[in-house]
Amino acid sequence: MELTEAAAEARLDRLLLRQWEREPDLPALIHGDVVVTAGELEDRVLALAGALRDRGVVDGDRVAVYQPRSIEFVVSVLAVVFAGAAHVAFDVGDPPERTRHEIEDCAPRLVITDPHGAARLDPPVPVLSLDGRRLPPPRTPRPHTDGAPEAPAVVLFTSGSTGRPKASIISHAAVASRMVAFQSGHPMGPGDRVLHHTTCTFDLYLAELYWPLLVGAAVVIAEPGRQRDAAHLAQLIRDAHVTTLCCVPSLLELFLLDRDGDERYDGLKYVIVGGEALAPDLVRRFHARSTASLTNIYGPSECTVFATAWTCPRHPDPDLVLIGPPIPDTTVHLLDENRQPVPDGQPGEVYIGGVGVADGYLGRPELTAERFVTGVPGTEGRLYRTGDLARRHADGALEFLGRIDHQVKIRGVRVETGEIEATALRCPGVRQAAVVAAGDGSDKRLYAFVVPEPDADRAALPDEMRERLGEWLPQAMLPSAIAVLDALPLTQNGKLDRRLLSERALAERPASPTPLPAATDLSTPDRMEDLVSGIWRAVLGVPRLARDEDFFDIGGDSFRAVQVMGAVQDALGRKVPLDVLLRRPTVQMFSAGLLALTKNEEPSR
């Protein structure tokens, strides 16, 4: 099927149904050895959509989906759309309390999950539990596809500066428009395969599902919890003949660092990166190892996946990576503080308009009015005020310059430091809190500074906070370090001095890594844990850590994981799969896995 400009004004369910009925025998979903054809996917989606309608789902409703990455997850989100509702997908790896609050906030008609998810989440709304049994035939067997293209299809939560996550309402037409833009710049169809590995709280997952299914390509589903596992993803790319990969630049960096330097990725046709800055050096190194095109995309969730795109040239390799001109159905305006256009070459705030702009924030009229603006001179319709800075080059391509507020990107995840601060104030013993990001690129980390209550135990407070924050915040929002201060620094006009806090955060980071510990007798659990603890402390730059602390909760990321694995392999004198760390991210569990490997045993999962 060709996605034409007309498709940008259509509903997703109509477009999908047309494609599935035209070519029902094409593979649609691939998960391990299981292949679901387009016709089989249609049957499963329509059955679940009918079950949702039978349980009271009506046009305009919202339905939450709480499932790990799987065939069932894909069926669920599509069935919600076919039932006339908007899907709100939640990451099963997020703290349950946070997810419950978000479910209360979006007030879905029900939650689709499985027995394990229902027990873990205990949601405040009715549950449709899918336990592997076939659903009874629905009383409403035909799909519900006669709604308007402007109707909501997706609700997506992002971090909120007030401490309350905000949910963007995205229409069928907005998603369809973006899929048309992807297809126009990167044509694919039957025979192509797209890797689905992105977490459902990052809007790039919409492209991994809807784009291939709308054009007859197949979705290759990565194992849940292994989206950081470069070895697993590389194996899938090879074995399943993946042709399109969407990811954040830090994951692309991990591929190049973790894999053999001679390994190539010539089976790929397209690699699309977004969510964080793309460095020229990474572009050069990727081009040296793949014939695939590399496209840098930009756009906040409020504008549905992306608003601009720039395919990185090979000859010559770029010294500067741009975010490109606007995609079809999209306008980008660079305005000054008076909402007047800035001259080309001058920095201005990015305002985005067009079909892909969300309908606003769910239940947040004041915030919607603040960020989704109308009446800007020389523009038409609503514009989303991004808070990003950019400059326009003579050829029309944009250069991203950073943020004008306190929002940051950590490993591709958009983080409002205000949400972390508000959450920190919920911790017992905390009177004031401030959070800053320090470092560049993949080395950027979050630092929390707190003023304790007079009766608080200052020495114990950081560890107590870390435990509480881990119950309430996703991994990407957890501070790498927590410092206790007598008072927060203020500027001359009495405002919080974030610049001074950022300087202090950088100053407190170790100037050079602590020497890695030498390997000794590693035949006992205690000695293996000593080695692992020493390596982690050296790589992470922390003075101490507990046996049960999660590597990724205390500042670990893809790059530091590669450093850890290199040091461990040098100590053991053997290759160790990165999966051993990803599935066992505490000192105790990782050490047990390594000890099993040294004894030629299969590490327990």
Side-chain angles (χ1 to χ4, degrees), residues 252-305:
L252 184 63
E253 179 80 65
L254 178 58
F255 265 97
L256 302 186
L257 289 174
D258 182 62
R259 312 304 298 158
D260 188 289
D262 295 328
E263 184 173 355
R264 296 189 59 83
Y265 299 97
D266 292 329
L268 289 166
K269 290 167 56 176
Y270 309 123
V271 174
I272 299 169
V273 297
E276 57 190 16
L278 176 62
D281 181 62
L282 179 55
V283 174
R284 284 189 281 271
R285 286 185 286 120
F286 175 77
H287 280 163
R289 294 179 55 184
S290 178
T291 56
S293 69
L294 180 62
T295 300
N296 190 34
I297 64 174
Y298 158 81
S301 299
E302 289 86 348
C303 297
T304 316
V305 186

Side-chain angles (χ1 to χ4, degrees), residues 232-450:
H232 170 64
L233 299 183
Q235 189 75 33
L236 273 181
I237 289 171
R238 287 194 304 270
D239 294 350
H241 307 291
V242 169
T243 58
T244 300
L245 171 67
C246 304
C247 65
V248 294
S250 56
L251 181 60
L252 184 63
E253 179 80 65
L254 178 58
F255 265 97
L256 302 186
L257 289 174
D258 182 62
R259 312 304 298 158
D260 188 289
D262 295 328
E263 184 173 355
R264 296 189 59 83
Y265 299 97
D266 292 329
L268 289 166
K269 290 167 56 176
Y270 309 123
V271 174
I272 299 169
V273 297
E276 57 190 16
L278 176 62
D281 181 62
L282 179 55
V283 174
R284 284 189 281 271
R285 286 185 286 120
F286 175 77
H287 280 163
R289 294 179 55 184
S290 178
T291 56
S293 69
L294 180 62
T295 300
N296 190 34
I297 64 174
Y298 158 81
S301 299
E302 289 86 348
C303 297
T304 316
V305 186
F306 74 133
T308 69
W310 191 70
T311 298
C312 304
R314 285 181 174 273
H315 305 294
D317 284 320
D319 293 321
L320 176 67
V321 176
L322 304 178
I323 58 174
I327 59 175
D329 289 328
T330 303
T331 60
V332 175
H333 308 272
L334 303 185
L335 308 179
D336 62 19
E337 61 272 15
N338 297 316
R339 294 187 180 173
Q340 296 297 313
V342 299
D344 285 356
Q346 296 299 311
E349 184 175 358
V350 178
Y351 287 70
I352 299 174
V355 178
V357 175
D359 296 335
Y361 296 120
L362 180 66
R364 308 285 290 277
E366 293 182 359
L367 186 59
T368 296
E370 176 187 336
R371 306 303 297 186
F372 295 84
V373 300
T374 58
V376 177
T379 69
E380 296 181 1
R382 290 180 314 120
L383 302 179
Y384 176 68
R385 182 182 182 182
T386 66
D388 291 331
L389 286 174
R391 68 164 58 97
R392 183 175 280 106
H393 287 230
D395 61 358
L398 300 174
E399 177 188 353
F400 180 76
L401 300 176
R403 294 288 304 171
I404 64 172
D405 55 18
H406 302 138
Q407 188 184 97
V408 296
K409 285 285 184 75
I410 302 294
R411 298 192 291 278
V413 178
R414 189 172 76 178
V415 171
E416 292 275 9
T417 55
E419 180 176 355
I420 307 172
E421 291 167 353
T423 306
L425 291 174
R426 296 167 56 193
C427 297
V430 176
R431 187 173 66 188
Q432 291 178 292
V435 176
V436 298
D440 297 316
S442 63
D443 203 35
K444 184 177 292 183
R445 298 164 75 175
L446 293 167
Y447 294 82
F449 296 89
V450 298

Side-chain angles (χ1 to χ4, degrees), residues 435-475:
V435 176
V436 298
D440 297 316
S442 63
D443 203 35
K444 184 177 292 183
R445 298 164 75 175
L446 293 167
Y447 294 82
F449 296 89
V450 298
V451 176
E453 296 287 358
D455 58 349
D457 184 340
R458 295 172 65 100
L461 188 58
D463 289 339
E464 293 172 353
M465 282 186 63
R466 188 173 290 112
E467 182 176 352
R468 289 298 184 98
L469 293 176
E471 297 172 357
W472 298 330
L473 295 174
Q475 276 189 356

Side-chain angles (χ1 to χ4, degrees), residues 4 17 33 40 98 109 120 173 177 186 196 209 254 270 289 296 330 426 432 489 499:
T4 64
L17 199 60
D33 296 330
E40 292 167 341
R98 176 187 176 87
R109 175 72 63 176
R120 182 172 189 265
S177 167
H186 307 80
H196 169 43
L209 299 186
L254 178 58
Y270 309 123
R289 294 179 55 184
N296 190 34
T330 303
R426 296 167 56 193
Q432 291 178 292
R499 180 188 59 80

